[in-house]
Amino acid sequence: MTEVRIPTADGELAASLRRPAGDGGAPVPCVVLAHGFTGVRDMHLDRPAERFAAAGFAALAFDYRHFGDSDGEPRQVLDVRRQYEDWDAAIAFARGLDGIDGRRIVLWGTSFSGGHVIDAAARDGDVAAVVAQCPFMDGLAQTRFTPPRIAARLTVDGVRDEIRRRRGRPPLMVPVTAPRGGYAMLADAHVWESIPFMVPPGSTWRNEVAARVALRLGLHRPGRAAPRVGCPVLVQVVAEATGVSHAAAERVARAAPRGELRTYPGLNHFDVYVGEGFELLSRDQVEFLERAVGA
């Protein structure tokens, strides 16, 4: 594994590049990966990256600007437009790497980034395949997961943070997650309970995000780009407790011209990163990519 820096218009993305064993012959495909809502590389992105490398794919996992080891000030600001720019920069970087087949770039996104990869593939038009794992596809559909009293408080804090931004002041932070009954952007005890196994010691992840994102999530509907994605698309949906809309993800799988839907009974949203859940989903991802782009 090699640490690399990906240039953007105003700073660099921190990224980890893994190449398959024996790399140096014919150019290989490359899977570009990024995490979900406020997530960072050290929260188990090494696991799918290593699995792809073992199957003959290069893997490039990056942190978004303002998060993890990437540049971007102020910290913990989630701006969807800038994250889309980060995807574009990472794709261009992967295509320019020695030993990479630029015609076989794969996008892999999980949770919040599972929607990003649909929009990125539609914008790019030359991506070879997409994997959307437990994806966030429709912010409007997500509103039902937030209790009304918390949604109201997030809106107020979002407005306060937006005012601070316009006045050049530091962001107003809110928790990403909290214990049952607490106040947080993701008001789901299931998210809080995942921290012990999702966030390793020394992680760069922080349990806070600038509140302004609350004003924009309901309008974020990346799944609408699915009809414009011409490459093979694998959408993976778990059947149990989750903070994302199953129905929205299923609609994307149907709307994408070459979409495939796979559902996993008995798994919840965070089971897919470790243990049996990871093994099931990653096995299907590798099988899908071997069919879609070769190795």
Side-chain angles (χ1 to χ4, degrees), residues 100-134:
I100 298 301
D101 184 347
R103 299 165 301 175
R104 293 191 291 164
I105 301 298
V106 175
L107 309 187
W108 182 100
T110 185
S111 195
F112 199 57
S113 67
H116 287 11
V117 292
I118 296 295
D119 198 280
R123 291 194 315 275
D124 183 274
D126 199 29
V127 166
V130 171
V131 175
Q133 174 179 278
C134 304

Side-chain angles (χ1 to χ4, degrees), residues 23-186:
D23 187 24
V28 298
C30 182
V31 183
V32 183
L33 309 90
H35 224 305
F37 190 85
T38 76
V40 293
R41 291 175 297 154
D42 61 39
M43 295 167 65
H44 299 300
L45 277 199
D46 58 313
R47 296 170 62 83
E50 289 170 353
R51 192 60 55 90
F52 292 135
F57 300 83
L60 180 70
F62 70 91
D63 286 333
Y64 293 110
R65 278 175 294 176
H66 305 278
F67 293 92
D69 294 316
S70 290
D71 294 341
E73 295 291 340
R75 306 303 292 169
Q76 302 301 116
V77 172
L78 198 162
D79 183 313
V80 170
R81 178 185 60 80
R82 287 174 68 79
Q83 292 196 346
Y84 278 9
E85 293 171 355
D86 293 345
W87 271 103
D88 295 345
I91 293 168
F93 182 84
R95 283 199 176 112
L97 288 169
D98 291 339
I100 298 301
D101 184 347
R103 299 165 301 175
R104 293 191 291 164
I105 301 298
V106 175
L107 309 187
W108 182 100
T110 185
S111 195
F112 199 57
S113 67
H116 287 11
V117 292
I118 296 295
D119 198 280
R123 291 194 315 275
D124 183 274
D126 199 29
V127 166
V130 171
V131 175
Q133 174 179 278
C134 304
F136 177 113
M137 292 295 189
D138 190 330
L140 187 60
Q142 292 300 129
T143 58
R144 68 183 179 88
F145 291 102
T146 305
R149 64 177 181 82
I150 293 180
R153 184 174 170 186
L154 286 171
T155 299
V156 171
D157 281 345
V159 171
R160 292 172 60 200
D161 187 38
E162 183 63 24
I163 292 171
R164 293 170 69 94
R165 182 188 70 81
R166 296 185 183 189
R167 293 178 175 175
R169 299 178 62 192
L172 172 66
M173 298 293 177
V174 297
V176 175
T177 182
R180 188 179 303 275
Y183 173 60
M185 190 68 65
L186 305 179

Side-chain angles (χ1 to χ4, degrees), residues 51-52 55 57 129 131 232 234 236 260 262 264 279-295:
R51 192 60 55 90
F52 292 135
F57 300 83
V131 175
L234 175 63
Q236 295 176 300
E260 297 183 24
R262 298 194 188 182
Y264 301 85
E279 295 297 334
L280 286 172
L281 271 73
S282 64
R283 181 191 64 202
D284 287 350
Q285 290 166 13
V286 168
E287 184 271 334
F288 165 77
L289 292 181
E290 287 176 341
R291 283 191 289 111
V293 303

